[in-house]
Amino acid sequence: MRIAVISDIHGNLGALSAVLADIGTRDCDSVVNLGDILSGPLQPSETADLLMPLALPTIRGNHERQLLEMPLATMSASDAYAHAHLRQDQRQWLAQLPASLVLNDGVLLCHGTPANDLEYFLEHVDADGVRPATHDEAREKASDAAYPVILCGHTHVPRAMHLADGRLIVNPGSVGLPAYHAEHPLPHNIENNSPKARYAVLDDAGGRWNAELIAVDYDHEAAARLAMKHGSPEWAYALRTGRVAPQEN
């Protein structure tokens, strides 16, 4: 069984198209989507139109929840842009997505952790910044989710970890946004230092699940120009460099 895993597309149609084309060369049995699909100043409606007919196993992320449940006045700029550009049928598609999903092969799909769509699974944030989670920290967040594989997104950082009990936790990274600044739980930057689109392929052919983390080139300059056109220079910088734009003094 080979499963392609995508996450955190954030309306980046060009990156998604390149990733789906690459997946098409890898003899995968299925493709799953871990959420944060449309929010961002790029092409939310066009991205939805590409994905909806594919009917991929898909869960919602925190941005889907925020887009559907928060008052417009309190939405982030990314969610507000998507809200303004989505049709009713696209909102209905988002509304029916589950928060988590289990595939027949015992693979759990969640966005953050099994308990919280805002919690980082394989990263840890403290006053010193962001670092990879330890095995103990990841095991605590995995809790009693008794599945051979747990798939997560949210942090945009591609990473895989085998726990001592054999469970595999995989974050495929972000298809559409390689860097961002966040304030929760403390101010921090996530930076992959590359503009490439990311996804993962899982394989259990050898009787033990393994993950390949894949980076794909695409026309990130076109995406950056679109972000600039839509008034988001910080997105343009991240899309071009994989880094967070320096703060002006």
Side-chain angles (χ1 to χ4, degrees):
M1 172 66 70
R2 283 172 63 82
I3 304 171
V5 187
I6 62 176
S7 189
D8 298 277
I9 301 163
H10 285 283
N12 192 335
L13 182 66
L16 175 61
S17 297
V19 162
L20 292 177
D22 195 76
I23 290 171
T25 70
R26 294 180 183 267
D27 195 28
C28 293
D29 298 292
S30 62
V31 183
V32 300
N33 180 354
L34 304 182
D36 280 8
I37 304 164
L38 306 177
S39 290
L42 298 175
Q43 295 175 282
S45 182
E46 295 88 343
T47 300
D49 280 341
L50 175 58
L51 287 169
M52 289 165 63
L54 299 180
L56 306 178
T58 299
I59 61 172
R60 68 173 181 262
N62 61 291
H63 280 281
E64 281 73 53
R65 174 177 52 79
Q66 292 160 192
L67 195 158
L68 293 170
E69 297 178 6
M70 291 181 67
L72 182 58
T74 62
M75 284 185 188
S76 68
S78 293
D79 292 338
Y81 187 91
H83 184 275
H85 289 84
L86 294 180
R87 303 187 307 267
Q88 184 60 27
D89 64 310
Q90 294 168 333
R91 293 191 185 93
Q92 290 172 345
W93 173 62
L94 295 180
Q96 56 82 38
L97 297 177
S100 63
L101 189 64
V102 179
L103 301 185
N104 292 336
D105 297 272
V107 177
L108 173 65
L109 281 58
C110 62
H111 182 70
T113 66
N116 189 330
D117 64 12
L118 287 173
E119 188 174 34
Y120 286 8
F121 208 146
L122 296 180
E123 279 71 43
H124 176 82
V125 180
D126 57 28
D128 295 323
V130 184
R131 62 165 172 80
T134 66
H135 280 73
D136 286 344
E137 289 166 342
R139 184 175 64 251
E140 181 179 355
K141 292 174 183 177
S143 185
D144 58 355
Y147 301 96
V149 178
I150 304 173
L151 303 179
C152 62
H154 189 48
T155 70
H156 298 206
V157 179
R159 200 182 305 283
M161 178 187 291
H162 272 108
L163 299 181
D165 59 18
R167 287 180 292 177
L168 174 62
I169 306 170
V170 179
N171 186 325
S174 173
V175 170
L177 182 60
Y180 64 87
H181 175 80
E183 295 290 329
H184 177 82
L186 293 167
H188 63 279
N189 292 340
I190 293 289
E191 298 179 308
N192 285 298
N193 297 302
S194 167
K196 293 186 178 184
R198 307 282 178 156
Y199 78 101
V201 172
L202 302 182
D203 195 332
D204 74 339
R208 173 181 166 90
W209 285 100
N210 288 290
E212 180 183 3
L213 303 174
I214 299 167
V216 178
D217 288 314
Y218 78 103
D219 190 354
H220 59 270
E221 180 59 32
R225 290 195 301 269
L226 191 60
M228 285 296 294
K229 179 181 177 181
H230 295 162
S232 295
E234 72 284 0
W235 271 67
Y237 189 94
L239 291 164
R240 285 188 172 111
T241 66
R243 298 189 297 275
V244 174
Q247 296 296 308
E248 296 183 5
N249 294 325

